[in-house]
Amino acid sequence: MPEEMNPYQIALRQLDHVAGILKLDDGIHAILQKPKRELTVNFPVQIEGSGTQMFTGYRVQHNTSRGPAKGGLRFHPETNLDEVRALAMWMTWKCAIVNIPFGGAKGGVVCDPKSLTLAELEDLTRRYTTEISIIIGPSSDIPAPDVGTNGQIMAWLMDTYSMHAGHTVPAVVTGKPVSIGGSEGRIDATGLGVVLVTEEAFKKRNWAMDGATIAIQGFGNVGGAAARIFHKRGAKVIAVSDVSGGITDSRGLDIPALVLHVKQTGSVVDFPSTEPVSNEEILALECDVLVPAALQGQITGANAGQVRARMVVEGANGPTTPDADAILGSRGILLIPDVLANAGGVTVSYFEWVQDIQSFFWSESQVNSRLARILRRAFAEVWAASETHRVDLRTAAYLVGVARVAEATLTRGIYP
Ligand code: NAD
């Protein structure tokens, strides 16, 4: 398969593969190949020093057969419609794999949030929200944070939507600060989910978490939380990286001290008593678990042969290309796919939405124990599918997810 496939082509290829195994009806397969709804918006924002500047944003709803569309919002200079389509499709499967009543969506704005002032970022978020407000809503499509967005941006989105509605609508977005209807446990949920599924895989292999060596690419919402939780649970995080570079220490990094260093300097780079490591090198370090938690397309046909981890747990969406999948599989490296490994975020987003609708809030321990129950069940179902069909865990996860979405689509029937 050519490496230059874009994420949407990869997502389609993955769907076609499982459609064959499931002997999916041709009509249902055709429905699932296309996003249900795509909105492209072009809008102006006043930028200091350069006046009015036009920005492009997207919101794609892939499928809503199982419930309202759900998916994050990405602010990144290289985001584009095909990337957003792929991410929306992956959200559909992910929600079905963990069996929460949502379809899949994703949004993005082509921008570099780091180059904007806080006021410009707020203006951009509020105008983008207004532009997509014709298709989002608490019972239609619920955004959440992704790369380049955070709780503050979700707060602006919620406020903008509420101003237009004339009343506060907390359930229009998840990943909000707790003070305005966010859920306890949401910030760490994706990272915690990464650790929970790793623990399940360790049980299957009879490995111990205590002293296990972990390398993590990306130190944001997902990678940063995963590092903290792995460290807390006795694992040795031996390397981490961010967009500026990485650091390694085979004795295990002092993660709480590193978190402080990142707060002060903005990067993991130059953390005392560590060796520098590049983002390419971190993928090839010898360790028990490699967690790619930055962007897609990191482990490719060109570098998968150098991966020396015994297990890869995908914190990011789409970090491993199909070529790399095949190479890792042939080398006996177990891979826990994104649609399962990083589903903790959307699961707690679902909890947040439920709490907002009921105006009745749960404690962090209630959130975390419900999250663990859902992820352990999803892991067991995916593992069982991989044994039944004798396929890798990615294919197995897709089999579980696509079958559920196909069943819902078929049961609802085609209107009119
Ligand atoms: P983030 O913006 O908080 O963090 C991204 C991290 O990756 C940062 O440390 C950044 O410096 C680093 N990075 C960016 N470009 C890089 C590059 N070229 N090389 C190496 N590192 C780079 O984003 P996030 O929310 O942690 O998301 C990371 C991945 O996880 C994305 O693929 C996202 O879609 C996925 N994801 C996020 C969530 C969530 O709840 N936030 C849920 C599921 C999946």
Side-chain angles (χ1 to χ4, degrees):
M1 187 179 301
E3 277 287 315
E4 61 273 13
M5 288 178 97
N6 75 32
Y8 185 49
Q9 289 166 324
I10 291 174
L12 282 174
R13 185 70 179 244
Q14 292 165 334
L15 170 63
D16 294 348
H17 178 50
V18 293
I21 300 174
L22 289 169
K23 299 192 173 49
L24 211 60
D25 170 84
D26 284 347
I28 298 287
H29 185 186
I31 292 172
L32 299 182
Q33 284 174 322
K34 295 274 183 203
K36 172 189 170 69
R37 197 174 274 143
E38 304 182 342
L39 180 63
T40 298
V41 294
N42 297 296
F43 57 92
V45 181
Q46 296 291 344
I47 301 295
E48 218 177 278
S50 53
T52 305
Q53 206 172 301
M54 290 300 289
F55 289 86
T56 299
Y58 310 101
R59 186 73 188 170
V60 173
Q61 298 169 353
H62 171 254
N63 188 286
T64 56
S65 295
R66 291 170 40 88
K70 185 88 190 78
L73 202 54
R74 179 170 289 197
F75 286 1
H76 194 273
E78 274 142 43
T79 197
N80 57 64
L81 190 51
D82 267 354
E83 177 182 86
V84 177
R85 284 175 173 144
L87 290 162
M89 188 186 281
W90 287 328
M91 284 306 296
T92 302
W93 314 143
K94 193 181 297 182
C95 293
I97 289 161
V98 287
N99 214 355
I100 57 178
F102 285 137
K106 205 80 182 189
V109 177
V110 187
C111 69
D112 177 6
K114 285 202 173 128
S115 73
L116 301 172
T117 66
L118 201 62
E120 288 162 354
L121 191 60
E122 178 173 353
D123 288 352
L124 179 137
T125 303
R126 288 186 182 279
R127 181 62 190 250
Y128 168 73
T129 302
T130 308
E131 296 291 343
I132 65 163
S133 65
I134 52 175
I135 61 167
I136 63 167
S139 52
S140 53
D141 180 356
I142 305 118
D146 190 67
V147 176
T149 60
N150 56 25
Q152 176 61 71
I153 290 172
M154 299 307 114
W156 290 327
L157 192 156
M158 184 275 247
D159 184 71
T160 306
Y161 187 89
S162 299
M163 287 301 120
H164 289 281
H167 56 94
T168 300
V169 189
V172 66
V173 69
T174 60
K176 304 177 291 294
V178 171
S179 60
I180 55 166
S183 178
E184 296 290 349
R186 175 61 184 89
I187 290 175
D188 282 355
T190 310
L192 175 57
V194 165
V195 177
L196 286 168
V197 298
T198 306
E199 282 175 346
E200 292 308 294
F202 272 32
K203 284 182 205 159
K204 296 284 184 193
R205 291 274 152 108
N206 272 327
W207 296 359
M209 186 57 75
D210 203 37
T213 50
I214 320 279
I216 304 178
Q217 186 197 49
F219 202 70
N221 294 330
V222 182
R228 275 190 286 107
I229 299 163
F230 271 123
H231 179 78
K232 235 183 183 167
R233 298 198 177 190
K236 269 202 309 193
V237 181
I238 58 155
V240 298
S241 67
D242 61 28
V243 68
S244 312
I247 52 165
T248 182
D249 181 351
S250 58
R251 296 163 302 174
L253 298 161
D254 179 347
I255 299 295
L258 175 62
V259 169
L260 277 179
H261 173 82
V262 172
K263 250 188 203 147
Q264 284 156 4
T265 67
S267 171
V268 300
V269 172
D270 291 334
F271 182 56
S273 315
T274 60
E275 298 290 317
V277 63
S278 72
N279 264 301
E280 190 64 24
E281 288 161 351
I282 202 168
L283 301 175
L285 288 179
E286 189 168 348
C287 58
D288 292 317
V289 184
L290 171 65
V291 183
L295 292 177
Q296 66 265 20
Q298 296 299 302
I299 306 176
T300 65
N303 64 15
Q306 277 108 58
V307 170
R308 286 189 292 156
R310 296 156 79 198
M311 188 183 287
V312 174
V313 182
E314 295 186 323
N317 285 312
T320 313
T321 65
D323 279 1
D325 257 347
I327 295 168
L328 296 179
S330 71
R331 295 182 54 222
I333 298 171
L334 182 69
L335 182 140
I336 308 184
D338 47 11
V339 282
L340 175 63
N342 68 32
V346 75
T347 303
V348 175
S349 273
Y350 164 57
F351 296 162
E352 180 175 336
W353 179 76
V354 168
Q355 293 170 80
D356 287 339
I357 286 172
Q358 299 186 340
S359 285
F360 183 66
F361 290 87
W362 313 346
S363 68
E364 186 171 353
S365 72
Q366 282 173 313
V367 168
N368 289 348
S369 67
R370 284 172 172 151
L371 171 64
R373 203 182 315 146
I374 286 183
L375 287 183
R376 286 186 187 129
R377 187 188 58 204
F379 183 92
E381 286 169 344
V382 169
W383 192 272
S386 86
E387 287 183 335
T388 306
H389 295 276
R390 295 174 188 278
V391 292
D392 58 86
L393 289 178
R394 189 187 311 282
T395 308
Y398 273 67
L399 286 170
V400 171
V402 172
R404 285 184 180 147
V405 179
E407 190 197 339
T409 308
L410 198 64
T411 307
R412 286 179 60 160
I414 292 169
Y415 175 85

